[in-house]
Amino acid sequence: AYIESLRKRAAELGVTLVVHTPVPSSDVPRTLRQADCVFVGVEPVVESYRLSLPNKFFEGLMSGRPLVIPRLPEMALQSAGLDGIYWFYDFTPESISDALKLAVRQPLNVSEALAQRTARFSWEQEKEKLITAYSAMLSRP
């Protein structure tokens, strides 16, 4: 019903909405690069979802495309200040369509957006933090 409500709203607005079936992990970046924008529809049905940073969030960021995400605490914190990020504030078709309209209408330099995102989110940025955290856990009696 949720997807159908989005399809209906997209049709009313004359927006092309493509909902892909799941693709193999290796095809996700290529698939996302073909989109006008990337939608991450994590609904906060439980607290862990509200505070999550799902893979699709990072995959969307690394596509370099405009990203439409719910304004949930961790996703908002991690994406604050990045170019091409559009938040929706509730899960109504109107709120989502407003964010989608902004995402496809605002100009975005994809290579600059990707460089900005890669500078913030990369294995090089995270590996020392992760190694330090694991080392601390492993050294506990």
Side-chain angles (χ1 to χ4, degrees):
Y2 182 68
I3 295 293
E4 286 310 310
S5 69
L6 291 176
R7 287 181 203 266
K8 180 181 176 190
R9 185 69 173 158
E12 290 169 359
L13 295 170
V15 173
T16 302
L17 174 65
V18 177
V19 179
H20 287 276
T21 57
V23 297
S25 298
S26 60
D27 290 343
V28 171
R30 180 184 57 77
T31 301
L32 294 179
R33 282 187 204 108
Q34 297 172 19
D36 292 329
C37 69
V38 177
F39 172 77
V40 177
V42 177
E43 292 188 71
V45 294
V46 294
E47 187 67 1
S48 64
Y49 284 18
R50 194 176 77 78
L51 299 173
S52 72
L53 289 171
N55 286 347
K56 58 185 151 189
F57 168 72
F58 292 104
E59 291 164 342
L61 283 171
M62 293 305 127
S63 73
R65 307 304 300 157
L67 187 64
V68 176
I69 58 175
R71 186 151 171 86
L72 298 176
E74 287 303 311
M75 282 191 270
L77 177 68
Q78 296 301 320
S79 62
L82 294 175
D83 295 339
I85 305 299
Y86 301 91
W87 295 314
F88 55 95
Y89 294 87
D90 58 45
F91 286 82
T92 62
E94 292 76 22
S95 179
I96 294 168
S97 72
D98 289 346
L100 287 167
K101 284 190 288 187
L102 284 172
V104 298
R105 291 181 181 157
Q106 296 295 320
L108 178 67
N109 183 313
V110 174
S111 59
E112 285 181 19
L114 187 54
Q116 180 190 50
R117 295 169 188 186
T118 302
R120 186 179 296 181
F121 303 104
S122 70
W123 172 242
E124 293 304 316
Q125 295 281 7
E126 298 299 318
K127 79 176 175 186
E128 291 304 321
K129 294 181 220 174
L130 186 59
I131 290 169
T132 300
Y134 282 154
S135 296
M137 287 187 285
L138 293 172
S139 66
R140 291 184 187 159

